[in-house]
Amino acid sequence: MRSIRLIAVILAVLVGFTSCSRDPNVVKKRYLESGNKYFDKGRYKEASIQYRNALKRDPRYGAAHYKLALVSLKGGDFGGAVSSLRRAVELIPPDQPDHWDAVVKLAEIYLAVGRGEKQYMDEVEKFTKDLMKRDSNSFDAHRLVGDLNFSRATEAYRNKHPEEGEVFLAAATAEYRRADSLKPGQQGVSMQLARALAAKTNFVEAEALYRHVIQKDKTFQSAYTELYRLFLYQNKPEDAEQVLRLAFANNPKQFGYLTLLARHYYAQRRRDQMINVLNEIKSHAREWDQAYLAVGAIYLGMGDGDSAIREYKEGIAK
């Protein structure tokens, strides 16, 4: 009798387990959890497969759409990310953080690749209003409003409406300052604020921001190159030169800064200094296999084909 009861209990457990394993809600969550483990390990292909398996069980599973969007972003597939993010925004309830993170990421993509397209900019405006309504002190809301106004300012100037552009630029600057007050020192906001200030010809504050970004992250290339262009615009070639020298000193394996410096000297008609930098570039040929190609390309860009051929031949010989 006891053995019969034991068998009955075992059968009941097995039946319960089988029914749970066939429950779509249970199965989809297992796929999601498995995908998350792969995602955390950087195995995005396997993660994508598991998230798609979850969506086969439930095409309206918002969490899987959201995670699949993150995989697409890791792979640079913005089209796939947009599709998944839109579904995530639609299906994840607004009381969950992933809903709002999907909103923010979707707005960022539209601002990056759909800039100037009214349909996308209108959608970004709606997103920012929703974010602001949820939290008037939202860092993301203020920085995205800043980006939207900066984009509109750029369009206005391009279409030769400077007065309208100034209004949008002032609004963008105010929003970036507000975002910076909420979360100080964020690289993206600092860079955008520096660009807005430079466009408003507030060169002193723009320079200070670029230098602050460089101080915090000496590897960030855009801060160097934009500060370099800022000095050229102000007709300060010596200051521009020092920016490139600082960039290479801080990043001694980034030889592109030396090629920029050589071109800078050529533009300033300082041929001796240019040749010195070109020789310096060639001295790094063991570390950088493109050294002679880069030097040859500089000569070719100057219209000096003979010198370019000489550098290419020397590179082949070495």
Side-chain angles (χ1 to χ4, degrees):
M1 181 65 71
R2 182 175 299 174
S3 60
I4 294 174
R5 289 177 179 174
L6 181 59
I7 293 171
V9 170
I10 294 173
L11 288 174
V13 170
L14 289 174
V15 169
F17 177 78
T18 303
S19 63
C20 287
S21 65
R22 291 177 180 175
D23 184 342
N25 287 322
V26 173
V27 174
K28 73 180 184 183
K29 288 179 181 178
R30 285 179 182 164
Y31 280 127
L32 182 73
E33 291 168 0
S34 175
N36 290 343
K37 291 178 181 178
Y38 283 123
F39 187 90
D40 292 340
K41 295 176 181 177
R43 297 173 62 179
Y44 302 122
K45 182 178 180 180
E46 291 88 344
S48 176
I49 292 171
Q50 295 299 75
Y51 296 143
R52 293 180 190 278
N53 283 335
L55 290 170
K56 287 178 182 178
R57 270 54 182 186
D58 181 2
R60 294 182 59 80
Y61 194 17
H65 283 292
Y66 170 72
K67 298 298 289 193
L68 190 59
L70 299 187
V71 171
S72 297
L73 288 173
K74 289 290 185 181
D77 178 11
F78 293 110
V82 166
S83 178
S84 296
L85 287 170
R86 291 184 71 88
R87 292 291 283 160
V89 171
E90 174 191 351
L91 297 170
I92 299 176
D95 62 348
Q96 296 185 23
D98 287 350
H99 171 94
W100 296 105
D101 190 56
V103 167
V104 168
K105 285 182 168 54
L106 194 53
E108 289 173 339
I109 294 173
Y110 285 160
L111 285 164
V113 302
R115 184 172 296 177
E117 296 290 333
K118 185 177 185 304
Q119 173 188 346
Y120 296 125
M121 296 304 97
D122 288 348
E123 196 157 357
V124 170
E125 185 173 17
K126 178 186 178 302
F127 288 151
T128 56
K129 286 180 178 178
D130 291 341
L131 286 163
M132 204 74 77
K133 184 177 179 180
R134 177 175 178 257
D135 179 8
S136 61
N137 290 320
S138 167
F139 166 77
D140 286 322
H142 285 285
R143 71 176 177 85
L144 289 171
V145 173
D147 288 343
L148 180 60
N149 281 306
F150 190 85
S151 174
R152 287 172 171 169
T154 303
E155 284 296 305
Y157 284 118
R158 183 179 293 121
N159 295 324
K160 299 181 179 179
H161 299 300
E163 292 181 358
E164 183 180 348
E166 288 177 11
V167 172
F168 283 128
L169 197 57
T173 303
E175 291 297 334
Y176 290 139
R177 290 192 189 280
R178 177 65 174 143
D180 186 62
S181 71
L182 292 166
K183 193 180 290 189
Q186 296 300 300
Q187 186 181 85
V189 171
S190 295
M191 289 294 292
Q192 283 293 89
L193 180 55
R195 291 163 186 149
L197 291 168
K200 288 166 64 69
T201 68
N202 187 344
F203 301 130
V204 173
E205 193 174 356
E207 177 189 344
L209 277 168
Y210 282 128
R211 291 194 183 279
H212 181 68
V213 171
I214 290 169
Q215 187 177 10
K216 290 186 67 176
D217 182 0
K218 291 180 172 59
T219 67
F220 190 55
Q221 181 177 345
S222 293
Y224 293 109
T225 55
E226 291 183 28
L227 180 58
Y228 170 74
R229 289 196 294 267
L230 185 70
F231 282 131
L232 287 183
Y233 183 81
Q234 297 175 78
N235 195 26
K236 295 181 176 180
E238 293 82 8
D239 290 332
E241 171 191 341
Q242 292 307 314
V243 170
L244 295 180
R245 290 200 171 277
L246 174 66
F248 185 65
N250 287 339
N251 301 274
K253 298 298 182 182
Q254 297 299 317
F255 302 107
Y257 291 123
L258 289 181
T259 64
L260 285 175
L261 184 59
R263 289 191 173 97
H264 173 80
Y265 285 138
Y266 171 69
Q268 297 296 315
R269 299 182 180 180
R270 297 164 64 182
R271 186 175 178 84
D272 289 345
Q273 289 94 330
M274 181 197 74
I275 291 174
N276 288 339
V277 173
L278 295 181
N279 288 332
E280 184 179 357
I281 291 172
K282 290 188 290 184
S283 73
H284 293 286
R286 289 183 180 275
E287 306 160 74
W288 188 35
D289 61 3
Q290 302 293 307
Y292 282 90
L293 278 174
V295 172
I298 290 171
Y299 278 120
L300 203 59
M302 295 163 47
D304 187 351
D306 291 339
S307 295
I309 290 171
R310 183 189 70 240
E311 297 299 337
Y312 295 145
K313 286 183 176 179
E314 187 176 347
I316 291 170
K318 292 196 174 183

